[in-house]
Amino acid sequence: MSDLPTPAARRLTKPSWKDTRLLVGVLLVLLSIIIGALAMRAADDRVGMWVASEQLTPGETIETSDLERVDVQLGDAQGDYLMSNERLPNGAVIDREVRPGELVPRAAVVNPVELDVQRVAVHVDPAYTSNLVKGSRVTVFTAAPPTKGEEGAPAGDEPQYEEFISRATVHSLPRGGGVMGSGSRTSVIIVVPKDRVPELLTLDTAETPIRLALESGSPESQD
């Protein structure tokens, strides 16, 4: 009885780039990477918006140098704020307080003629400025005008103060405790409604300086 033929052993060979299965596998991996990247890009609907890089006060001119770009998701609220690809109007000003890192509301950027507030320099006793910074929101107190019967009161009597207006904004404070006028009276620039400026200037004198009280939740000095 003759021996059965023995099949010849086949040598293992290294896969080649010409191997169809290898090419299909590589293509599938690349395809999955591309699909994943596109899906992540589609899911990230963040857009570039402007935030204030420093404290902005009402009446202050706003320029690109005052802003920083951030990428955020705002959804339906996106149209309420300035996008970083928008050009600011020449001479535009802010009509409200905007704190550092806060998104800039589109409605807060206005033409100067549209402002209903005005900066005004007033006398303030330094004792009422120690906790203030630019952007502090304050209540303004003025000395009450003397009544007819008080006009002849002794000069040393302490005047009675009453609230003149609330939610005024501090625009600037003197550097190094500058003094204006006689005595220890500091010049502080505050932002108040335009229609109150004439009356405020009438009540503000070196003898009866303005008093400023920091309002709750307002920026204050950390010194």
Side-chain angles (χ1 to χ4, degrees):
M1 190 172 181
S2 62
D3 294 334
L4 294 174
T6 302
R10 298 180 60 186
R11 287 187 175 184
L12 293 175
T13 59
K14 294 182 179 180
S16 168
W17 284 108
K18 296 181 180 180
D19 190 320
T20 304
R21 290 172 297 178
L22 180 59
L23 290 174
V24 171
V26 171
L27 289 174
L28 288 175
V29 171
L30 291 175
L31 185 60
S32 64
I33 293 174
I34 294 172
I35 292 175
L38 291 175
M40 290 182 64
R41 184 175 179 181
D44 184 5
D45 56 356
R46 294 181 299 173
V47 293
M49 309 295 292
W50 285 129
V51 299
S53 59
E54 58 184 20
Q55 183 77 35
L56 300 176
T57 59
E60 191 166 357
T61 302
I62 182 172
E63 300 177 351
T64 305
S65 58
D66 302 316
L67 309 172
E68 293 179 356
R69 174 191 167 127
V70 295
D71 293 325
V72 294
Q73 288 180 320
L74 293 178
D76 295 338
Q78 176 178 316
D80 297 335
Y81 300 93
L82 284 182
M83 298 183 66
S84 60
N85 61 358
E86 294 183 67
R87 182 177 179 180
L88 295 173
N90 292 332
V93 296
I94 289 289
D95 73 347
R96 68 196 69 175
E97 174 191 342
V98 181
R99 300 184 184 184
E102 184 180 345
L103 289 168
V104 180
R106 186 182 302 277
V109 180
V110 300
N111 189 292
V113 298
E114 300 175 20
L115 277 178
D116 58 1
V117 293
Q118 181 178 329
R119 299 178 196 169
V120 58
V122 293
H123 298 82
V124 180
D125 188 317
Y128 294 90
T129 65
S130 60
N131 59 346
L132 302 181
V133 294
K134 177 181 179 180
S136 291
R137 191 172 58 253
V138 294
T139 298
V140 178
F141 290 88
T142 58
T147 62
K148 188 174 182 179
E150 296 176 334
E151 291 180 355
D157 284 3
E158 177 71 17
Q160 297 298 311
Y161 277 78
E162 58 187 21
E163 181 177 324
F164 178 78
I165 195 170
S166 63
R167 300 187 66 81
T169 304
V170 174
H171 173 70
S172 64
L173 296 160
R175 296 181 180 179
V179 173
M180 178 180 74
S182 61
S184 57
R185 302 300 185 240
T186 298
S187 174
V188 177
I189 297 178
I190 59 177
V191 184
V192 298
K194 283 183 178 179
D195 59 355
R196 303 302 302 276
V197 171
E199 182 183 1
L200 178 61
L201 292 176
T202 300
L203 297 172
D204 172 33
T205 68
E207 294 73 28
T208 57
I210 301 299
R211 293 180 179 179
L212 304 176
L214 185 71
E215 296 184 0
S216 177
S218 178
E220 61 182 305
S221 174
Q222 300 301 315
D223 296 339

